[in-house]
Amino acid sequence: MKILKSILLVLTIISTLNFNAQTDEDVLKTIYKQSLTNGKSYAWLNHLSNQIGSRLSGSLGAERAVEYTKEELDKLGLDKVWLQPVMVPKWVRGSKEYAYIESEPGKTTNVNICALGGSVATPALGLKAEVVEVKNFEELNALGAENIEGKIVFYNRPMQADLVNTFEAYGGCVNQRYQGAAEAIKYGAIGVIVRSMNLRMDDLPHTGSMTYDNLPVDRRIPSAAISTNDAELLSTMLKLNKNIKFYFKQNCKQLNDVQSYNVIGEITGSEYPNEYMVVGGHLDSWDLGDGSHDDGAGVVQSMDVLRLLKESGITPKRSIRVVLFMNEENGLRGGRKYAEVAKQKGENHVFALESDSGGFTPRGFSFDCNDAAFNQVLSWQPLFKPYLIHYFEKGGSGADVGPLKTETNVLAGLRPDSQRYFDHHHASNDTFDAVNKRELELGAATMTALVYLFDKYGVNPIANAAPIKD
């Protein structure tokens, strides 16, 4: 037995020496090869999307996703896997929404809508009223109560098509979806219809969260998204006849909070176990599709980061955690809970990376960090060039890792090509068939490469970092 242990020890030392002799270029090549020839992310996503489906917080799908991902992390032989309890909101859509435009009594045109997440229902028989179209809150304010009271407000500001960064375009108009009802209520509106956050012209309504700013229930009004094609139709019909009416019926309901979980797995650091690095995505999704891009892709990529580190023979110096956050879509409870517990325990989170921008071809990362840490990242650009990863910019990271921010740590977000993302975002076509296997696996490898480099060199100024080649 002693001889066997000695042989195993010698083999381990030899393996470690051989790995340490590799250049960073060699390690990244191994990581990408493992992901592209032996990846698990696509198979995991297949199960998550096609066997479980949508995963709205508090739903059976969310519960099954927690169980499945924990089981899969257990199989990876990580040092620790556990569930972190978190209370989440439970909103249910109910039966499918129905809507039409009435140009004159008895003459109607059906249109495609969906309730916005968190909205109240219409009256049991639906809601019908004249429509007031606005592009922004300034136009709403200018119209005032005399023109809005008793009517449905139609927000029709498109995403700005000439912005190459489609997330910038999204950010430029999403306030009408989130805050639109609360603003319209001030002027006596009885309902809200919002143009879908989508650059493409199609018939698919896109849901998303909205707020009433804590107004009492009896003052809340139903809010729905309308497809881009039907938004154009409604706008055109209003130009021809301002007296047309809009009818819609939805049956959604807000229930009491329920308990759910963040799913966490850890490889304990070999040298600095009390320095934590996080990689993650959000496990919940909206209920119209199966959440493959938002954010099933980020979930399975993050899981595969830890597996790829192990498969590539990398022994992390720091403790690396995968965190599958619950309730990003309509509450951010999971991200806040994880940060709250980390603070209570005094855990030092030096780095966190989030994937929540879809499973398309990776282009690079955005970083929330100081200049010294960012300069260190820029020194690694040549390592990523062979994989066509070129986008390294300071900016935002991710909603779930955001609460971990300190003055000294680094937060990052994976940035895939975004041109097709909002075709699927929060809509019924966010499904498994829309995700390309190779693009997904490239994203997992790119994330793993960044985690490897930050673990190896730490969050230090470039002057203190080791050169690219050992």
Side-chain angles (χ1 to χ4, degrees), residues 254-270:
Q254 188 73 50
L255 304 175
N256 293 332
D257 289 358
V258 298
Q259 183 170 287
S260 189
Y261 302 90
N262 293 329
V263 184
I264 308 172
E266 177 184 304
I267 299 174
T268 304
S270 60

Side-chain angles (χ1 to χ4, degrees), residues 266-284:
E266 177 184 304
I267 299 174
T268 304
S270 60
E271 295 183 30
Y272 311 107
N274 294 323
E275 291 186 9
Y276 295 94
M277 301 176 63
V278 164
V279 59
H282 64 85
L283 194 51
D284 62 305

